[in-house]
Amino acid sequence: MSRRLPVFLVLDVSESMVGKNLDLLQEGIRSAAARLRTNPHNLEKVFISVIVFAGRARTLVPLVPLYEFAPPELPIGGGTGLGAALDHLMKEIDASVQSTTAERKGDWKPCIFLLTDGRPTDTPGPQIERWNGRYRTRAHLVSVSIGGDADAELLARLSSDVLILQSTQPDSFVEFIKWVTNSIELQSASVAMGKDDAPELAKPAKDLLSRFDLAKPAEGDTRIDERFAVFTAKCQASAQPYLIKYERTSQMVGTKDPSLAGRFGLNRYDLQAVHRISHSYFELTGPEGAIPTVNSSLLRGVPACPYCHTAAGLAVCCCGKVHCVTEEGVQKCPWCGQTGEYGSSTGGVDITRGQG
Amino acid sequence: MDGIASRARLSPAARDALSALSRSLAQDLPGALVRHVVHMHRSSPLSLRKLRAVSDPHLSAMILLIGREIMRRDKRAIGALAVRTTSSEPADAVDREEAIAFSSPSPAGAASGASDSVQEEARMQSPQPASKPAGHDPVPTPQSPSGAALQASRLPQVVRSVSLRNATVGRPYDMPVAIPDRTPGHDVEIRSPADLGLAFDREAGAIRGIPVVAGEHPVQIRTVIGPSPGAQTLILNGKLIVNPDPKSLWKDIPSDPAGPFAKPDEASARLIGPSYVMAAASKRGRSHANQGQFRDDDFHLECADGGWQVAIVADGAGSAKFSRQGSRVAVAAGAAAIVAALARHADARFEAALRDHGDKGNDKIVRDILYQILAGGAFAGTKAIGAAAATLGVEKDYATTFIAVIARRYVFGHFFAGFGIGDGGAGVLDAEAGNAWPLTMPDGGEFAGQTRFLAPGEFQDATRLMSRIRYKVVDRYSACLLMTDGITDPKFDTDANFAAPQRWQDFWTTDLAASVQCTRENPTLDRDLLQWLDFWSPGNHDDRTIAVVLP
């Protein structure tokens, strides 16, 4: 009877991850699984589950043996609901991790890698309490903050292993995935010898990961991810959704730090990318709190619609939602159905932004 | 590339892109291609739709030529690029996918890699457009390659993706794939760069076969669907992950015979005693074999005066670097001490008390004497480890478990006594009656491998030490077994099961005694046991040692 080693990947798929990070993460999961598959210990022991969260959380892949694991396609959502993610994770642990009984040896302590790149948009206090009370001692949880913007203090309340992924080097993500894979291997070898007290974490490449230091002072606390302004839009012709992502501009004074930018009055955003998304986005997006907006005068660059390729991909309907418009004539809003003519505005319009 | 450029009448921007591309083709094929196509689009001031209308022929010509260049340079590469174009009616922007797939030439066509195949299919994912970008554009990941043939079907094509369950080398694979509207009589072809060993079973409507090659294989299923005038070629693209056969991943690397405290990777012995036959076998586990490490288990069999027989097994701790030596010296020293103690203490008084051990007073006498013999033997083992550590390393480096049994036939029955520190265990079983009696007790500390080892600390609590001793007198028995956890883990799994007579019964009748002829007459009993130790049990790859005492 082989004891299983459950591995949970709990991944932040909020809007701020859209783009290169998400592609790299997806590819990373594929390559990690491929590497793990070559080790016979892993093939017998390792079980993998993938949970994704934005505003809401969802199990993308339930706990399956490594040899059955097929790398999933990662969806996108709005918001960063850490509380929802923890809730979901705890439910999954209850449902799928087997404990030891008199007749059968149960699973090794599950290894959980929690990845997030932004501050939570919900209040995870009660979930953290529940985690610490009933789950912390029977699991190994490693939290990784991507780029250092996540609320590391909050993550530190969950486990003593909080690592910050410096995403400055071009292949940081690839190295990071290697580190996750190595850590899983180490843990797998460790439990093979009967040791299961602390998670065996691999030694990361130089300057890749740094441990979070509780002593350092925290940055400002915001619920909205200020590095990016992301808008959800729909194509007028096909009603398909897409995301428009603007990044806070680093002008000559050059800063991406929101508090510093505020001081210098650097509040502009440059168009970074446009991405098609599927309807799963809306399933993953959590309920909005206060509706945050960005004034359009702060945005530089106009996206093309990725479906019908019209040049004007950012038009705001009176219902507040964004959609694309063709160059002339009467337009119909794919969100609310109202029709009308659109012109360019001089003063700037407040547009509803995503939570990030 | 110059000859190609002149043939295709490319714009200056495209030409520049082409020459830059040819420089980087050596390093990064599909990525470079997509990046340069993106660059070409961005550098033009026209919007994407108008750009396509103007330069479609140039674009597709360029892609075809680049694709051929890729094939020529890297015969192993499977580049699949898809172009998604929009029809010219803006009102109902219908996407029409043109598929161009470049596959590595099949072995037969390797020589003609550069030939002009008139019908080439291509599929390329269009880059995410962002007109007038100010920041950096994301580089889209190229579509995962799909293998397709050089030869195209002249029918219009319908391309879809399909999701396939994982397979394992050597295990039968059965994956139903629904193909609506399939034209009967037409073959359903499965294409993949490697010879997968799979075919489409039309009757079952499934992919079947036994895969032979591990890895992640792009797979394409092709057939014809629809009624005769409106038939289409259906192309299903997917990826099949084939797991390697786990058994094939275990290497068997011999340990270094010249290494420190070197020990043979396997051992067995058979000893005919005055009353019983004893045999033992010990084999290095797959974990150690995979890395060329030593066997850490050991055993010792001995006959002593007065009809006594002694058997000991020991399991060196995996994390202790000299534990192979620890187990070796512990069983040797332990056996010697037990033999000496038997001569001194197992006298007539012992026999008298044993004969009537139901009486509490007698039971205490028996236990006190067994304490001298068995605990004393274990203590001698500990001292031997201490002596070894005095020369090299520390005691912890030699950590080992210790399970000892003494046996003797008396007029009033068969007597067995056992003593154990650490996991594994010993017991006596009577298969005919379905009875079993453990001779060792489990140590606490279930979850995190808190196995105990032979150490001076274990000998400080006399009560606890005494509780490690168990004995039994039986009229009849089938076997007495001593096992390290390399065997108790796969065969019993938990301590509760180890105490369950039914589990012993099942283990004996359906497993051990079914595979090995466990009789005193079997001349190859020890080698047969050794062979049995090779059993396959996923997740259980520890060293394995068993000793049997047979009537």
Side-chain angles (χ1 to χ4, degrees), chain B residues 135-464:
Chain B
H136 85 275
D137 266 343
V139 175
T141 31
Q143 189 78 348
S144 66
S146 73
L150 294 169
Q151 204 183 6
S153 150
R154 286 188 191 84
L155 298 173
Q157 294 176 347
V158 176
V159 183
R160 299 256 178 281
S161 58
V162 67
S163 147
L164 302 170
R165 202 168 48 224
N166 294 359
T168 299
V169 168
R171 292 212 201 132
Y173 185 67
D174 188 326
M175 176 81 214
V177 178
I179 300 184
D181 253 354
R182 188 166 64 81
T183 308
H186 253 279
D187 258 345
V188 180
E189 216 190 323
I190 298 191
R191 290 185 188 171
S192 189
D195 180 12
L196 289 180
L198 299 173
F200 194 85
D201 181 329
R202 277 191 283 171
E203 266 187 46
I207 302 177
R208 280 185 171 175
I210 300 185
V212 292
V213 181
E216 292 178 35
H217 305 283
V219 165
Q220 205 179 66
I221 303 171
R222 301 167 68 95
T223 188
V224 175
I225 57 173
S228 181
Q232 295 171 300
T233 302
L234 172 68
I235 299 179
L236 296 174
N237 286 311
K239 189 168 74 159
L240 178 65
I241 297 176
V242 181
N243 294 297
D245 179 2
K247 293 188 185 177
S248 69
L249 292 176
W250 291 104
K251 303 190 277 283
D252 191 0
I253 302 174
S255 59
D256 178 12
F261 302 129
K263 181 188 279 193
D265 294 337
E266 58 183 39
S268 64
R270 179 168 163 259
L271 193 54
I272 304 180
S275 310
Y276 312 126
V277 166
M278 298 191 291
S282 180
K283 189 175 171 74
R284 188 173 65 149
R286 289 187 172 90
S287 284
H288 287 155
N290 200 35
Q291 313 218 282
Q293 291 166 334
F294 291 103
R295 170 171 59 104
D296 286 333
D297 273 11
D298 222 316
F299 66 84
H300 189 104
L301 303 174
E302 189 156 340
C303 294
D305 290 337
W308 286 102
Q309 308 193 212
V310 181
I312 309 181
V313 299
D315 178 1
S319 49
K321 56 184 169 173
F322 300 136
S323 62
R324 59 190 176 280
Q325 183 69 357
S327 60
R328 177 165 33 200
V329 302
V331 300
I338 289 176
V339 166
L342 280 169
R344 209 165 32 248
H345 299 290
D347 52 11
R349 177 164 165 271
F350 175 77
E351 180 177 348
L354 187 59
R355 188 192 290 261
D356 189 18
H357 63 269
D359 169 67
K360 269 218 174 100
N362 283 335
D363 174 69
K364 183 164 185 336
I365 293 174
V366 170
R367 288 189 155 274
D368 284 342
I369 292 175
L370 287 177
Y371 187 96
Q372 300 289 325
I373 298 169
L374 292 171
F379 191 65
T382 311
K383 290 225 303 263
I385 286 177
T391 328
L392 178 64
V394 293
E395 273 181 36
K396 234 170 30 121
D397 297 333
Y398 296 82
T400 177
T401 65
F402 186 89
I403 297 174
V405 165
I406 55 175
R408 203 206 119 142
R409 193 214 302 268
Y410 282 106
V411 165
F412 49 84
H414 304 282
F415 167 72
F416 296 93
F419 173 97
I421 292 184
D423 49 26
V428 186
L429 100 125
D430 177 358
E432 283 180 45
N435 277 334
W437 305 273
L439 292 173
T440 55
M441 64 154 234
D443 267 306
E446 163 71 75
F447 203 74
Q450 292 162 22
T451 300
R452 301 183 104 90
F453 300 106
L454 218 48
E458 293 294 340
F459 296 88
Q460 284 166 5
D461 183 351
T463 320
R464 176 142 179 86

Side-chain angles (χ1 to χ4, degrees), chain B residues 2 6 18 23 75 138 220 246 296 306-307 310 445-446 498 518 535 539:
Chain B
D2 280 1
S6 62
L18 254 185
R23 282 195 293 276
K75 291 196 171 49
Q220 205 179 66
D296 286 333
V310 181
E446 163 71 75
F498 195 74
C518 291
F535 62 80

